[in-house]
Amino acid sequence: MILQHCTWPDVEAYLRTSTGVVIPMGSTEQHGPTGLIGTDTFTAQSVAQAMGEIAGALVGPTLMLGPAQFNLAFPGTVSLRPTTLVHVIIDYVQSLARGGFRHFYFLNGHGGNAAPAACAFQEMHADRSLGHDRSGSVHFRLRSWWDLPQVNAMRQRLYGEGEGMHATPSEIAITRHVLPAISREDELPAPVPLDADFIKFHGGDNHMDAQSHRARFPDGRVGSHSGLARAEHGAQLLATAAREAALDYANFLRDGQG
Ligand code: NI
């Protein structure tokens, strides 16, 4: 069930059965010479819509912009400041909470979204703790699709260290599956593997400025061998992510926190 495809009486009827909503979060940023700029948005949206069908969950509008300043030296990237995303998330949640939604499940496709989302959740909890918001409790969970345990095992099995950190073969495989008509050929060589310290310190897209990022990763891939991506892998990754996320969502509705 997609929110924009509903009427308001449809939503009112849904709220009598559930107070949960799934919110896909992506980004609009370069994904190497062959990965589509909308990769993070297409992956988050396709996983969210597939899980929504399994779970019977309403899926809200996709957030297509996130913090991606480190990719601004590559043309076509559109970046929000982290603080802008915090405000967008708060306005999005409070709009739906006004109507009766209480459980907000963010299905994430971009590492840089996680820290601002956590900040937005704390801001909204703080409003209740401080007595500024007496509208009742709300619950949040953010899951990045690649962190779901079975998906994580599958992408390690398929790609090993070639998975890397950005323009990963797993995300590009999903876009090859959902958008075959616009997929690009990729015969790029394997990039230099990342060392463990780099991965440790730069997780969650914790990268420096755009100039130094492009100088270090001149084709835009961050340790990812995008040429390994296959549409059939994408179909498996998408189906596994949707199944796992639907179970995680059911647990979230039952337990609230997490
Ligand atoms: Ni990405």
Side-chain angles (χ1 to χ4, degrees), residues 6-103:
C6 294
T7 63
W8 71 259
D10 294 337
V11 179
E12 205 167 71
Y14 174 86
L15 281 163
R16 285 194 283 273
T17 67
S18 175
T19 60
V21 60
V22 178
I23 301 169
M25 298 186 87
S27 182
T28 300
E29 62 183 292
Q30 73 82 17
H31 272 74
T34 60
L36 305 177
I37 286 174
T39 294
D40 292 351
T41 295
F42 301 137
T43 51
Q45 185 167 278
S46 55
V47 173
Q49 291 182 356
M51 74 169 276
E53 283 180 27
I54 297 168
L58 192 70
V59 180
T62 302
L63 291 168
M64 296 188 177
L65 301 179
Q69 60 76 21
F70 48 89
N71 276 325
L72 285 171
F74 298 92
T77 295
V78 182
S79 177
L80 297 184
R81 288 174 181 272
T83 46
T84 307
L85 182 59
V86 171
H87 292 297
V88 169
I89 292 170
I90 291 172
D91 285 355
Y92 190 138
V93 164
Q94 291 186 337
S95 298
L96 291 178
R98 173 71 177 74
F101 287 91
R102 287 290 175 266
H103 295 80

Side-chain angles (χ1 to χ4, degrees), residues 203-215:
D205 287 330
N206 185 29
H207 300 300
M208 287 172 55
D209 65 277
Q211 289 74 12
S212 58
H213 193 69
R214 183 163 176 165

Side-chain angles (χ1 to χ4, degrees), residues 186-191 219 221 224-226:
D186 186 335
E187 293 179 359
L188 298 167
D219 76 5
R221 300 176 302 165
S224 294
H225 192 179
S226 52

Side-chain angles (χ1 to χ4, degrees), residues 1 36 38 63 67 90 104 107 124 133 141 175 220 224 241 244-245:
M1 216 177 160
L36 305 177
L63 291 168
I90 291 172
F104 298 87
L107 194 292
M124 289 185 276
D133 176 356
R141 181 174 290 185
T175 64
S224 294
E244 265 196 299

Side-chain angles (χ1 to χ4, degrees), residues 86-171:
V86 171
H87 292 297
V88 169
I89 292 170
I90 291 172
D91 285 355
Y92 190 138
V93 164
Q94 291 186 337
S95 298
L96 291 178
R98 173 71 177 74
F101 287 91
R102 287 290 175 266
H103 295 80
F104 298 87
Y105 187 98
F106 289 80
L107 194 292
N108 184 39
H110 172 56
N113 291 336
C119 179
F121 302 161
Q122 286 300 316
E123 288 283 351
M124 289 185 276
H125 288 315
D127 279 338
R128 276 182 301 287
S129 299
L130 294 166
H132 303 318
D133 176 356
R134 300 180 189 280
S135 63
S137 65
V138 288
H139 305 279
F140 306 108
R141 181 174 290 185
L142 179 140
R143 280 286 184 259
S144 298
W145 61 265
W146 60 85
D147 275 340
L148 292 159
Q150 290 174 31
V151 176
N152 193 33
M154 182 180 287
R155 63 198 187 93
Q156 293 309 321
R157 190 166 65 243
L158 287 169
Y159 308 121
E161 71 177 6
E163 176 70 348
M165 293 183 81
H166 186 68
T168 63
S170 62
E171 62 184 343

Side-chain angles (χ1 to χ4, degrees), residues 187-203:
E187 293 179 359
L188 298 167
V192 178
L194 302 172
D195 63 51
D197 273 353
F198 186 92
I199 293 169
K200 184 175 168 191
F201 290 117
H202 296 271

